[in-house]
């Protein structure tokens, strides 16, 4: 065998090894979620992750919570209130239904957080009792109205505070959800009304990503 033939064989072997490693990496790496399919499920991803503002709220157990501490899991953040007559109970019931359709591994990577847009009436105890009707693992956050408005605006889900001087007042707010990644940054939105069946199909692949 000539030196040229040996060189060609070595080059062919190297190229084959590189192709094999690349092919193996593609097969074994998690597939990226298809944005078009996510959009069909009402999931809108941001071009870049968005950090949360440095605000602190109070959870349903009366403990101070810095928003940057919402890490380790994907979070669906909903802005609502316990005296809400329609959007809130419907959305929370749909989220409970969604969790029942997700595989256990996906449920472990997901948490639901409701931020009150009615801190005048939504004490930690009120939030805890209300959320327990849907799922005792749901997290509730309340606090100063200014901090809540700052957070809602930063996440692109603003609301109009209620007239607390009126009896049985309501609060105008959106049914959209903010989607936070496990690093505590906003990755996107889930648009209302929720499509539970489509979300159950698409969330497992999305939540499998870091």
């Amino acid at each position: 065998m000539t030196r040229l033939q040996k060189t060609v064989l070595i080059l062919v072997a190297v190229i084959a090894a590189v192709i094999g490693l690349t092919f193996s990496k593609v097969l074994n790496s998690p597939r990226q979620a298809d944005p078009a399919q996510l959009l069909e499920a009402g999931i809108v991803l941001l071009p870049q992750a968005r950090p949360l503002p440095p605000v602190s709220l109070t959870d349903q157990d009366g403990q101070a919570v810095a928003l940057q501490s919402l890490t380790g899991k994907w979070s669906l953040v909903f802005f609502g209130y316990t005296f809400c007559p329609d959007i809130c109970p419907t959305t929370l019931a749909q989220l409970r239904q969604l969790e029942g359709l997700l595989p256990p591994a996906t449920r472990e990577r997901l948490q639901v957080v409701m931020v009150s847009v009615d801190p005048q009436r939504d004490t930690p105890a009120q939030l805890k009792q209300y959320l327990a009707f849907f799922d005792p693992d749901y997290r509730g956050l309340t606090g100063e109205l200014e901090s809540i408005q700052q957070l809602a605006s930063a996440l692109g889900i603003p609301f109009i505070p209620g007239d607390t001087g009126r009896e049985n007042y309501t609060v105008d707010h959106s049914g959209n959800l903010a989607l936070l990644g496990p690093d505590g940054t906003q990755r996107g939105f889930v648009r209302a009304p929720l499509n539970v069946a489509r979300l159950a199909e698409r969330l497992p692949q999305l939540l499998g990503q870091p």
Side-chain angles (χ1 to χ4, degrees):
M1 183 180 294
T2 65
R3 179 176 298 178
L4 178 60
Q5 289 174 321
K6 289 181 179 179
T7 302
V8 171
L9 286 175
I10 292 172
L11 287 174
V12 169
V14 170
I15 293 171
V18 170
I19 292 175
L21 287 172
T22 303
F23 187 66
S24 175
K25 185 176 181 181
V26 169
L27 285 179
N28 294 321
S29 61
R31 293 182 302 165
Q32 296 296 307
D34 183 343
Q37 292 181 337
L38 293 178
L39 196 58
E40 288 179 359
I43 303 171
V44 181
L45 297 182
L46 297 174
Q48 292 184 328
R50 182 185 298 168
L52 301 186
V55 299
S56 180
L57 299 175
T58 303
D59 69 13
Q60 73 274 15
D61 295 317
Q63 302 297 314
V65 174
L67 270 300
Q68 288 76 7
S69 69
L70 295 180
T71 58
K73 292 186 176 184
W74 288 81
S75 301
L76 290 175
V77 180
F78 172 61
F79 289 86
Y81 64 113
T82 64
F83 289 83
C84 178
D86 40 37
I87 295 177
C88 303
T90 298
T91 300
L92 291 170
Q94 288 177 320
L95 289 172
R96 181 179 62 183
Q97 180 186 6
L98 171 63
E99 287 189 311
L101 297 175
L102 294 174
T106 303
R107 289 200 303 270
E108 286 295 319
R109 293 178 58 84
L110 180 67
Q111 63 180 341
V112 172
V113 182
M114 187 179 102
V115 181
S116 173
V117 294
D118 183 21
Q120 174 83 4
R121 294 179 292 190
D122 284 346
T123 63
Q126 174 72 13
L127 273 176
K128 187 169 186 174
Q129 182 181 33
Y130 180 76
L131 291 175
F133 287 120
F134 301 95
D135 190 325
D137 289 331
Y138 286 176
R139 300 185 66 178
L141 297 176
T142 187
E144 297 294 329
L145 180 60
E146 183 179 354
S147 296
I148 296 171
Q149 285 185 299
Q150 183 182 355
L151 174 62
S153 295
L155 294 179
I157 310 180
F159 64 93
I160 301 175
D163 181 0
T164 57
R166 298 176 57 186
E167 187 178 3
N168 298 323
Y169 62 87
T170 57
V171 182
D172 290 329
H173 67 98
S174 170
N176 291 342
L177 310 178
L179 177 67
L180 308 186
D183 60 353
T185 62
Q186 184 182 10
R187 303 292 185 86
F189 303 90
V190 178
R191 298 185 304 194
L194 302 184
N195 188 327
V196 174
R198 286 291 177 87
L199 285 171
E201 292 176 0
R202 303 305 175 198
L203 279 178
Q205 189 176 357
L206 177 63
L207 270 58
Q209 300 178 24

